[in-house]
Amino acid sequence: MITLHVNGQDHAVEGDPATPLLYVLRNDLRLNGAKFGCGLGQCGACTVVVDDEPIFSCQVPISVLAGRRVTTLEGLGTEKEPGPLQKAFIAAQAAQCGYCIPGMIMRAHALLKRNATPSDDDIRRWMQPNLCRCGTHPRILDAIRTAAGRVS
Amino acid sequence: MRRRWLAGLGIVLLVAVLAVLSFGLWARRPAIAQTAVPAPASFDHATIRQGARLVAAGYCIECHTAAGGQSYAGGYPVPTPFGTIYGSNITPDPTTGIGHWSEPAFVRAMRQGIARDGSHLYPAFPYTHFTRISNGDARAIYAYLMTLPPVRDRVPPPQLPFPLNVRPVMAGWNLLFFHEGRFKPKPDRSAQWNRGAYLAGGLGHCAACHSPRNIFGAENRREAYDGGQSEGWSAPALGRHSPAPLPWTKDELATYLSNGFVPTHGLAMGPMAGVTRQLAKLPPADVRAIATFVASLAPAPSADAAVAAAAAARAAYHVTTATAVAGRGPAKTGAAIFAGACASCHFEGGDQPFYRPVRLGLSSVVNEPDARDFVHIVMAGIQPPSGAAGRWMPPFGVALTDRQITLLAQYVRSHFSGKPGWTGIARAVSDARKEPGS
């Protein structure tokens, strides 16, 4: 048994230690923000934050996460009370199909934690691993700028 | 008594001063007069094109371009055990580049490691190899560089401690370790082999990274191509000590050198990735020539070697998850990390259809004597240059702790390689953590 610390709560999880975090989040903890995209750590739809760093949860087995803080999209706010970054993504209408957006928001969340005033270049470079097939990048950039307190 | 002691001290000081002065005089090299920046139209097209190919063969752009900087404008930090040296600006800018260098000044720099103003260059610039190139080739490289767009960009001075920051000291280094001289073809070898030896041993300076160096930073010539290191990466042995489980063939070498990947050995990583991107611009005949030369460094295949290769191939193609996940304690932990983090692309260490990675049992990285390349790749992943297509692997340095990376390395080495376990993995991990960007 492994204890996972997710969004401030401890969860005792049974299962194969090699199980990817994403499966446990979605299937056991019913936290469906993180998405299964490629399952190969290539697209970023499954991005969550561990100890302030973005990781691909489809490629991280639960066995390596004992004693570490996991933050998922659900940890940033609720449907009724979205967090500042979520509000900015809604305001910018950054989602087209929306599948990549939870991962985008989580990667952006990690950026703003380490750099509250990122330049456009910082944002572009940091967000590079996460893919969006709809091409809403200008709006994603806009949302992150807004959340960082920059007038867009 | 006191007076005699003072006189003795005086003589010692005088001798020391005289020694320094005479060394300084002996080490001095004349400046070569500045010339006006030559007009690009003064070089003929065929020579410029030849120069472009040669500059690719020497992958000059790799050390003479800073990350995100303009091509050939210098500023790339070359880490050495003594300090950091920055690649110089070799565009024809008159103030910060080589615009005022005449052709003889340029040829002297390539041949002898002496700058136009007579100062000594550091052998991080591999004049120790470039000394072998022909007159015609040196002139063609000059023509190519002089027709580049000039870029005004001053390069930081080398960060070296005393006495290495005194450039004339390199005259002493040259006396001990530098052998000037043109390439001499071996008449008993084929024209293709000689072409390869010329390119690999001269402009290609393969031995600069793939040979061990002594405490003075000079290549150990008796152990040429026996493996070295570059920028924190291992440069594997090319010949008798090659870590490759399957002997490299000439065809595989040619593919690897120009594509950066061959399924039977793996992907060019670290500084070699950039080298292969440049070698891809060479005429195929030149790449084949280099491959011919490099293949000749390995001993003739023996019956024992063939048996070992066959066993390695069998093992690489028949690893199973059942054997992989057996075991307890740390081995079990390493196996679980592999199963959860690696297996979706490297299932059973094989070449899964999505990305067709190298089979881990055949990978040079997994079979090298040193864990640091493995550690680098696991931590930083694999990314093609920004905007380019290429193989991709996610980084795991963030998700995995030092201890977890160590257990994973032990597991991969013991399950996919027939070689003895790695030592110093934890050290390699903590070293990699200290690198910028990790």
Side-chain angles (χ1 to χ4, degrees):
Chain A
M1 198 184 68
I2 291 160
T3 302
L4 286 180
H5 189 74
V6 183
N7 299 332
Q9 286 188 342
D10 281 342
H11 299 272
V13 176
E14 297 278 349
D16 187 328
T19 310
L21 172 63
L22 177 67
Y23 299 4
V24 172
L25 290 176
R26 292 181 59 87
N27 300 341
D28 299 336
L29 308 185
R30 304 286 166 187
L31 297 170
N32 296 327
K35 298 288 181 277
F36 184 100
C38 64
L40 297 164
Q42 308 269 329
C43 75
C46 67
T47 304
V48 301
V49 169
V50 171
D51 295 344
D52 298 337
E53 300 279 0
I55 56 127
F56 298 130
S57 63
C58 76
Q59 294 299 306
V60 174
I62 52 172
S63 65
V64 307
L65 292 170
R68 303 177 71 185
R69 283 178 295 118
V70 179
T71 309
T72 71
L73 184 74
E74 293 84 352
L76 301 191
T78 61
E79 202 178 335
K80 282 205 176 105
E81 280 183 64
L85 197 54
Q86 291 166 315
K87 277 186 190 152
F89 269 72
I90 295 166
Q93 287 293 290
Q96 173 122 324
C97 87
Y99 205 73
C100 72
I101 293 297
M104 292 285 184
I105 292 178
M106 292 320 289
R107 181 166 291 276
H109 172 68
L111 171 64
L112 297 180
K113 280 217 136 190
R114 62 174 58 205
N115 177 3
T117 54
S119 67
D120 276 8
D121 197 41
D122 292 336
I123 299 173
R124 283 171 195 277
R125 229 172 313 161
W126 179 264
M127 298 301 293
Q128 208 169 358
N130 285 40
L131 307 182
C132 165
R133 292 304 294 266
C134 304
T136 68
H137 303 87
R139 286 168 184 249
I140 291 170
L141 198 68
D142 218 31
I144 300 170
R145 272 195 217 114
T146 306
R150 281 171 53 195
V151 182
S152 56
Chain B
M1 188 65 191
R2 176 124 190 251
R3 194 175 292 170
R4 272 176 63 187
W5 186 84
L6 276 174
L9 183 70
I11 290 170
V12 169
L13 278 174
L14 188 69
V15 169
V17 168
L18 278 176
V20 169
L21 278 177
S22 51
F23 176 82
L25 274 177
W26 166 79
R28 241 179 87 174
R29 299 290 182 275
I32 294 178
Q34 294 195 349
T35 50
V37 184
S42 64
F43 302 99
D44 73 86
H45 283 202
T47 310
I48 296 168
R49 267 202 298 276
Q50 182 192 349
R53 288 194 295 268
L54 294 164
V55 162
Y59 41 94
C60 312
I61 196 168
E62 293 297 310
C63 287
H64 286 286
T65 306
Q70 300 214 56
S71 296
Y72 301 103
Y76 178 86
V78 181
T80 77
F82 313 100
T84 301
I85 296 172
Y86 296 87
S88 51
N89 181 342
I90 53 170
T91 71
D93 179 65
T95 51
T96 61
I98 59 169
H100 283 315
W101 289 39
S102 64
E103 188 184 270
F106 178 79
V107 174
R108 181 177 71 167
M110 295 288 283
R111 292 281 174 71
Q112 300 176 12
I114 307 291
R116 187 203 58 77
D117 65 3
S119 59
H120 284 83
L121 298 169
Y122 292 107
F125 168 60
Y127 60 89
T128 47
H129 293 276
F130 298 164
T131 189
R132 303 206 177 104
I133 68 176
S134 71
N135 281 325
D137 282 354
R139 283 201 291 266
I141 294 168
Y142 179 75
Y144 175 72
L145 295 178
M146 283 306 186
T147 51
L148 290 172
V151 180
R152 184 147 307 178
D153 198 358
R154 202 169 292 282
V155 163
Q159 305 290 311
L160 293 171
F162 182 82
L164 297 175
N165 57 357
V166 182
R167 286 187 179 266
V169 166
M170 297 324 292
W173 190 93
N174 285 345
L175 186 67
L176 293 172
F177 304 116
F178 175 45
H179 308 278
E180 199 195 337
R182 271 10 103 222
F183 174 74
K184 289 188 196 71
K186 287 201 169 145
D188 58 331
R189 294 282 199 165
S190 69
Q192 189 183 43
W193 185 94
N194 275 304
R195 175 71 180 160
Y198 171 75
L199 287 172
L203 276 170
H205 64 284
C206 309
C209 295
H210 289 278
S211 304
R213 289 177 180 260
N214 65 24
I215 56 163
F216 299 101
E219 285 166 41
N220 189 337
R221 277 159 188 270
R222 266 178 307 185
E223 295 171 18
Y225 303 110
D226 279 356
Q229 63 91 36
S230 177
E231 302 182 29
W233 292 79
S234 298
L238 302 183
R240 52 192 169 158
H241 298 306
S242 165
L246 302 182
W248 283 86
T249 67
K250 207 189 294 184
D251 286 345
E252 286 169 342
L253 279 162
T255 304
Y256 175 81
L257 288 172
S258 48
N259 292 358
F261 179 77
V262 65
T264 39
H265 299 278
L267 183 69
M269 284 297 297
M272 193 65 193
V275 173
T276 60
R277 282 195 289 273
Q278 294 306 310
L279 297 186
K281 299 174 187 170
L282 288 189
D286 278 349
V287 177
R288 281 203 68 76
I290 298 172
T292 303
F293 168 75
V294 174
S296 77
L297 295 170
S302 65
D304 285 354
V307 170
R314 257 199 318 278
Y317 283 86
H318 297 288
V319 176
T320 65
T321 313
T323 59
V325 191
R328 280 165 177 275
K332 185 98 178 157
T333 310
I337 296 171
F338 184 87
C342 315
S344 53
C345 293
H346 296 283
F347 182 65
E348 294 180 355
D351 51 358
Q352 288 302 291
F354 288 113
Y355 299 100
R356 311 219 67 132
V358 63
R359 284 185 175 270
L360 295 179
L362 302 181
S363 160
S364 291
V365 166
V366 173
N367 285 286
E368 304 182 299
D370 195 298
R372 66 185 151 184
D373 291 353
F374 178 85
V375 165
H376 268 130
I377 294 171
V378 167
M379 289 177 70
I382 297 168
Q383 290 92 31
S386 183
R391 285 172 178 268
W392 205 85
M393 172 178 143
F396 290 91
V398 162
L400 302 179
T401 63
D402 290 14
R403 169 89 182 133
Q404 289 161 352
I405 295 168
T406 304
L407 293 174
L408 176 64
Q410 284 169 349
Y411 169 78
V412 169
R413 176 74 164 185
S414 66
H415 277 274
F416 299 112
S417 163
K419 305 274 170 69
W422 277 319
T423 54
I425 304 172
R427 175 70 194 276
V429 176
S430 63
D431 284 353
R433 287 265 187 234
K434 286 179 211 132
E435 283 174 18
S438 65

